[in-house]
Amino acid sequence: MNATHTKTPGNGGNRSGGMSNTSYIHPIANHADRLLDRLDGVRKSGRGWIAKCPAHTDRSASLSIAQGDDGRVLLHCFAGCPVHDVLGAVGLSIADLFPQRITTNMSTAERNALREYAKQAQWKAALNALQLEVGVVHIAARTLAEGQALTADDLKRVGVACDRIRDAREVLTHGR
């Protein structure tokens, strides 16, 4: 069975590792296709896939993509690209990573429980981001304490860490 893959401008569109005449059908046919079809160099890896990250110049695959048990798409760029940048580079948003929830047949209690679950998931993600970014700030502080200067790239990364810490604070204080 051959599938036609539509390329998004500037991005891939096949999952065959670059061979455009070969289609690849992966075992989980779902909304992950929408992301995978827009990436270059997609290859199966373990329970997920790896691909070239569209948010930076990538010579080798540094983007990991997987499917959670609940249907959400998980992705991580090992070069450090934020998820928003990766998705923006292929014309998607965070909402595209999650299966659509149908709440019309749910009771008020079930909808409230779902909202609470979502809020707790956001808090967990914010705390995980804080843990990572505090480590970046700590390394920078230790470098400065040792009398060494930070490079321009180091300063840029500390700035990114501060932005992410501010974003996490917003998540943790907004939902109360």
Side-chain angles (χ1 to χ4, degrees):
M1 172 191 239
N2 287 328
T4 303
H5 298 285
T6 305
K7 289 188 177 188
T8 298
N11 295 304
N14 71 68
R15 287 179 239 164
S16 59
M19 298 183 298
S20 60
N21 293 329
T22 307
S23 65
Y24 174 82
I25 311 258
H26 60 85
I28 305 172
N30 54 35
H31 72 282
D33 284 341
R34 190 163 181 206
L35 172 62
L36 295 171
D37 285 344
R38 296 169 185 231
L39 299 173
D40 277 331
V42 177
R43 296 187 321 262
K44 186 78 174 125
S45 177
R47 294 183 349 168
W49 303 269
I50 58 171
K52 291 181 179 180
C53 178
H56 74 275
T57 304
D58 207 0
R59 291 188 182 115
S60 62
S62 64
L63 184 65
S64 174
I65 306 106
Q67 180 98 25
D69 291 338
D70 59 358
R72 65 187 157 161
V73 178
L74 309 168
L75 58 116
H76 175 76
C77 175
F78 289 97
C81 296
V83 171
H84 289 89
D85 292 354
V86 173
L87 294 172
V90 295
L92 297 176
S93 69
I94 293 289
D96 294 312
L97 298 179
F98 299 90
Q100 195 170 13
R101 302 259 187 232
I102 300 172
T103 59
T104 54
N105 295 330
M106 289 183 162
S107 69
T108 301
E110 289 171 324
R111 283 193 301 275
N112 289 340
L114 186 60
R115 283 189 200 99
E116 182 62 26
Y117 177 79
K119 187 187 315 180
Q120 288 180 12
Q122 287 179 328
W123 289 348
K124 182 179 178 182
L127 290 171
N128 287 338
L130 280 174
Q131 182 180 11
L132 174 69
E133 302 308 333
V134 164
V136 170
V137 172
H138 179 258
I139 291 168
R142 192 173 61 217
T143 300
L144 291 171
E146 292 170 354
Q148 299 175 17
L150 297 177
T151 67
D153 286 342
D154 293 339
L155 289 171
K156 184 177 177 181
R157 182 60 181 93
V158 169
V160 169
C162 290
D163 291 342
R164 290 178 181 170
I165 289 169
R166 227 181 343 269
D167 291 346
R169 180 181 181 270
E170 178 65 25
V171 168
L172 293 170
T173 58
H174 181 67
R176 291 186 178 194

